[in-house]
Amino acid sequence: MSSAMAERMPVGGAGDPAMQDPELLRRLLRAKDRMDAASHEEWPVGRLAQVAGVSEAHFARSFKQAFGIPPHRYLLTRRVERAMAMLRETDLPITDIVWDTGWASLGTFGRTFRDITGQTPSAVRARAEKSMHDLGRVPVCIVKAAHRPDLTTAVSEKRRQATSGTNEPEQQEIP
């Protein structure tokens, strides 16, 4: 189906994920969950179709219809997300991250990473390190205060305001 045809298709038509069989959607979610849990593994369409219990062509078509992205592209995106987290949170060499996230080629990883994020893995790591150094200059008490929940109004006062229908705190004179 061409993109022009898909745009003209009415809502609720065959291209609408809401019109898919609920059992099929559960099966597609099962396959998607498996990819999420083990994105470092190989997930050819045949293996995913087996998990979902449908034919390869039906799986590929239904997955894209339900999630808006082909299964292979979804897997690549998950691998890049995991690699980004590892670049920010670990000191592992980039080549180790490539192998740990399931890429077979450093070149393919680099090209796909740039296509999806718009940056190189080295640039992502450098920016993460810079932001960590920038936070290191802020006193710890200020960082903690910024992350502290707003407790200017006591919980009992918030409950009273919720039951009375007002969100404004009452002004009280302090003697």
Side-chain angles (χ1 to χ4, degrees), residues 144-153 158:
K144 285 183 178 179
H147 292 105
R148 190 173 301 129
D150 181 22
L151 296 176
T152 56
T153 307
K158 287 180 184 177

Side-chain angles (χ1 to χ4, degrees):
M1 174 182 342
S2 72
S3 60
M5 288 175 62
E7 290 174 6
R8 286 183 267 157
M9 187 173 284
V11 175
D16 186 3
M19 295 303 292
Q20 285 186 325
D21 175 32
E23 177 60 30
L24 176 61
L25 287 173
R26 278 191 291 279
R27 290 170 178 224
L28 294 172
L29 279 171
R30 185 179 311 133
K32 186 174 173 252
D33 289 345
R34 293 265 181 95
M35 277 193 287
D36 289 341
S39 62
H40 61 283
E41 293 181 13
E42 288 299 316
W43 286 102
V45 172
R47 182 177 177 198
L48 292 166
Q50 259 185 332
V51 170
V54 296
S55 72
E56 291 180 27
H58 187 58
F59 176 82
R61 187 175 48 252
S62 299
F63 190 95
K64 184 173 182 185
Q65 182 182 1
F67 302 115
I69 187 171
H72 181 70
R73 187 66 178 181
Y74 176 79
L75 179 61
L76 295 181
T77 304
R78 295 297 298 163
R79 286 180 177 174
V80 167
E81 288 172 355
R82 186 165 174 244
M84 285 184 68
M86 292 176 78
L87 286 165
R88 286 191 307 262
E89 299 166 4
T90 69
D91 292 331
L92 287 172
I94 292 174
T95 52
D96 289 353
I97 292 172
V98 169
W99 310 138
D100 289 349
T101 53
W103 298 89
S105 161
L106 185 58
T108 303
F109 167 75
R111 185 182 69 248
T112 306
F113 192 93
R114 277 190 310 278
D115 288 349
I116 292 175
T117 66
Q119 302 175 54
T120 65
S122 299
V124 169
R125 176 165 273 168
R127 192 180 64 203
E129 288 173 356
K130 183 183 180 314
S131 68
M132 289 303 291
H133 292 302
D134 290 347
L135 278 179
R137 290 187 224 151
V138 178
V140 173
C141 61
I142 301 298
V143 172
K144 285 183 178 179
H147 292 105
R148 190 173 301 129
D150 181 22
L151 296 176
T152 56
T153 307
V155 173
S156 58
E157 178 66 13
K158 287 180 184 177
R159 287 186 187 137
R160 188 192 60 73
Q161 289 171 3
T163 58
S164 68
T166 177
N167 289 331
E168 298 295 322
E170 290 184 15
Q171 297 295 327
Q172 296 180 356
E173 281 189 49
I174 299 175

